Amino acid sequence: MTNNREPQRSRIGIFDSGVGGLTVLRELYRQLPNESVLYFADTARLPYGMRSSGEISQFCFEILTWMVQQDVKMVVMACNTSDALAREALCREFNIPILGLIVPGARAAVAQGTRFGVIATPATAASNAYRRALLEFEPNAKVWQVGCPEFVPLVEQNRLHDPYTAEVARQYLTPLLEQRIDTLIYGCTHYPHLAPVLREILPSSVVLVDPASHVVTTTAQELDLMGLKNSRSPLPTRFCVSGCPQQFAQLAVQWLGCTPVVEKIHLPTVSHPSVPI
Ligand code: DGL
C-alpha cells in the first residue's frame, strides 16, 4: 500500500499482456535497484497485438484503474501495443505519470542510424506510432515496419529454440534486410527474448535497439524530477496475472533466475469513457 507520507516508497506499476514486460523489469532491476514493483500480465487476454484499438483501450483502462487502487506512484507501460493505441487517452484520464516505450526507443534509435526496421505486433505496426516518433526526431529517417503476429505466441509457448521460430523470424526479417536497414528496433517487449535467434539472421553491422533500457532511463529521470525516487531497500516484486499463475511462473523463471510467487487477480469491470462495452 502507498505510504502517503512517503510516496517514494510506493511501487512502480509495470504491465504487459504477458512475459514481454519482464524485459523492462530486468532493466528496472539494473538501473533502479531500490524501486519496488507491481508487475501485472494480462495473460488471460493475450496476445494484445491482434486486438482492436477499442479492446486494447478498454483493457488498459481496467489495468490502470486497478493499479491506481493499489496505490502505485507511476506506471510504465511495458507493452508497445498499449503505448501505441492507448497511452495518450490514459494520460488524460489518470492523474499519475504513465510512461511508454515508443518515444524513448525512437529517440535512442535516431542516434544509431538512418534506415530503421521496426518489428512489432500487427496492431503497433498498423498504428504507425514508431514511424511518427522516428520522423519527429529525424525527419530524414527511412522507416520500414513489419507486423510479426507469430512471435508473441511462440515466446509465450516457450518455443524460443524451436527451428520453426527461426524460420518465421527469417521470413519477417527478409523484407527489412532487402531494404538494407542499419538499425532494428524491438517494437514489442516480447522480442528481446528472441535475441539469439534474431542475431543469428542479422548481419553484425545492424544495430539492435531495445526501448526497454531507454524507458527505464526516462523513468529514472521522471522519478528524480518528481522527488519520487526510493532510496531505501525495495519490497519484493509483486507479480499478478489474469490467467494461470503457475504457467506464468514456469515461463518467467528463465528470465528472473528464480521462481516468482504469482497471484491471480480479477480486474475491476469499469467502463472506459470513450469505449462502449
Ligand atoms: N509485449 C507487447 C508489446 O510490446 C504485446 C504483446 C501482445 O501482442 O500481447 O507490444
Side-chain angles (χ1 to χ4, degrees), residues 48-54 56-57 79-88 101-103 118-135 143-148 187-188:
Y48 274 19
M50 308 293 280
R51 296 208 178 244
S52 70
S53 119
I56 293 162
S57 299
C79 172
N80 290 269
T81 311
S82 304
D83 181 6
L85 294 156
R87 196 176 77 89
E88 254 175 55
L101 296 136
I102 296 174
V103 169
V118 181
I119 46 173
T121 65
T124 302
S127 77
N128 266 322
Y130 267 102
R131 183 192 303 281
R132 273 198 305 276
L134 286 162
L135 289 174
V143 184
W144 294 271
Q145 302 168 107
V146 174
C148 309
C188 170

Side-chain angles (χ1 to χ4, degrees), residues 24-25 27-28 31-32 76 211-221:
V24 176
L25 182 63
E27 268 304 315
L28 194 129
Q31 294 187 43
L32 290 167
V76 178
S213 70
H214 306 290
V215 72
V216 175
T217 307
T218 306
T219 304
Q221 288 161 352

Side-chain angles (χ1 to χ4, degrees), residues 198-245:
L198 300 174
R199 208 54 282 187
E200 191 73 13
I201 300 167
L202 293 166
S204 57
S205 57
V206 173
V207 177
L208 270 165
V209 173
D210 184 357
S213 70
H214 306 290
V215 72
V216 175
T217 307
T218 306
T219 304
Q221 288 161 352
E222 192 77 13
L223 289 171
D224 267 338
L225 211 67
M226 301 188 75
L228 284 177
K229 202 174 246 178
N230 188 31
S231 49
R232 309 237 215 116
S233 310
L235 302 166
T237 301
R238 183 177 168 208
F239 289 95
C240 299
V241 295
S242 55
C244 172

Side-chain angles (χ1 to χ4, degrees), residues 41-98:
D42 198 1
T43 51
R45 302 191 286 198
L46 70 81
Y48 274 19
M50 308 293 280
R51 296 208 178 244
S52 70
S53 119
E55 284 177 304
I56 293 162
S57 299
Q58 172 64 29
F59 299 166
C60 290
F61 191 75
E62 291 171 6
I63 295 166
L64 260 290
T65 301
W66 174 75
M67 284 198 157
V68 168
Q69 286 167 0
Q70 307 305 306
D71 287 318
V72 298
K73 61 183 174 186
M74 179 180 281
V75 170
V76 178
M77 303 174 82
C79 172
N80 290 269
T81 311
S82 304
D83 181 6
L85 294 156
R87 196 176 77 89
E88 254 175 55
L90 295 172
C91 288
R92 284 194 298 272
E93 285 154 19
F94 292 90
N95 201 15
I96 52 169
I98 303 171

